[in-house]
Amino acid sequence: IPPGPPTAPDVAKAEESLKAAGYAKTAGTWRKNGKALSLVIASPATQEPYATIAKELAAELVAQGIEVNAITPPPRDLFSGLLAMPVVDGVQQPSGDSAGNVGIDIAVVPQAVGGDTASVLASTFGCRPEQTASGTDKTKPIVPGNSAGLCVPALQPSIDTALSGSTPIAEALTTLEPELWRQNVVIPLFQLADTLAIGSGISGVTPGPPMVGPFGSAVNWTRGPK
């Protein structure tokens, strides 16, 4: 992560950005055209540690004069519906959908790691083909290609060449990473890790397949003489 925000919070810079966007702090609350700045923060039900992180984030925002609406939908609803709400010209509609679901501004959610780097890159930051195709009607709602609703057409060619293998992933990342960090759309907070202790008499243990781990190869483990 580059130095500076978000790892080193800068409240003064945040306030400058809000003022530049037309907001003014009145009676301790940021407002624009008489309307309070309000954000929707979501976490998957009561799953930890995401629920606690979302609660702490909400408290910090409220302390800085930003209203917060915290929601905790079931994981299936969050990922299959709320984070997949259609966008128009790259922007999720703030009024929500016809079912009354509200747009989400910040989601504190788990994200898969490992696997093929180019595939993870494309699924996390890539656009749908119809979002970048010439002649596409920008006013037509489109389901985003990733849970963050991000689509940066200028970066899509680099993502595509990394996915096809025509550009080495390390080379593609030198172009992509600085801009993705500048966008601050996806901010990693921590990575869960498990520790597996193996005695010296056990052999045949491997990392195992993705999403399964070492116990997926347990049938091949053998115990040597004590």
Side-chain angles (χ1 to χ4, degrees):
I1 300 178
T7 53
D10 190 336
V11 175
K13 184 176 180 180
E15 292 183 350
E16 290 177 4
S17 298
L18 286 170
K19 290 177 181 177
Y23 287 91
K25 202 168 189 179
T26 305
T29 301
W30 288 98
R31 296 179 178 275
K32 182 178 181 180
N33 299 326
K35 185 177 181 181
L37 174 59
S38 180
L39 300 178
V40 177
I41 298 179
S43 61
T46 56
Q47 288 187 12
E48 295 292 355
Y50 314 108
T52 297
I53 294 173
K55 183 178 180 180
E56 177 61 28
L57 174 59
E60 292 183 8
L61 289 171
V62 169
Q64 295 300 325
I66 299 174
E67 293 184 358
V68 172
N69 176 18
I71 62 175
T72 56
R76 181 182 295 275
D77 294 342
L78 177 60
F79 286 97
S80 66
L82 297 175
L83 292 180
M85 289 177 65
V87 297
V88 176
D89 199 12
V91 179
Q92 189 183 64
Q93 299 311 287
S95 59
D97 62 12
S98 58
N101 296 317
V102 295
I104 294 173
D105 299 296
I106 303 174
V108 182
V109 296
Q111 198 168 30
V113 296
D116 177 66
T117 304
S119 297
V120 173
L121 173 70
S123 63
T124 307
F125 301 106
C127 304
R128 284 188 179 274
E130 56 266 36
Q131 289 180 291
T132 56
S134 60
T136 300
D137 183 0
K138 299 295 184 180
T139 64
K140 182 181 179 180
I142 298 176
V143 175
N146 54 72
S147 58
L150 176 69
C151 175
V152 184
L155 300 182
Q156 192 59 38
S158 295
I159 295 176
D160 290 338
T161 56
L163 192 60
S164 67
S166 58
T167 300
I169 185 64
E171 181 181 332
L173 289 177
T174 60
T175 300
L176 294 167
E177 281 200 320
E179 179 59 23
L180 292 174
W181 281 121
R182 191 189 70 81
Q183 295 268 347
N184 270 340
V185 176
V186 177
I187 303 174
L189 300 177
F190 64 94
Q191 183 170 334
L192 294 173
D194 293 321
T195 300
L196 176 64
I198 305 170
S200 59
I202 302 295
S203 61
V205 181
T206 66
M211 308 302 291
V212 176
F215 292 103
S217 65
V219 67
N220 298 319
W221 296 2
T222 58
R223 177 184 296 173
K226 294 182 179 180

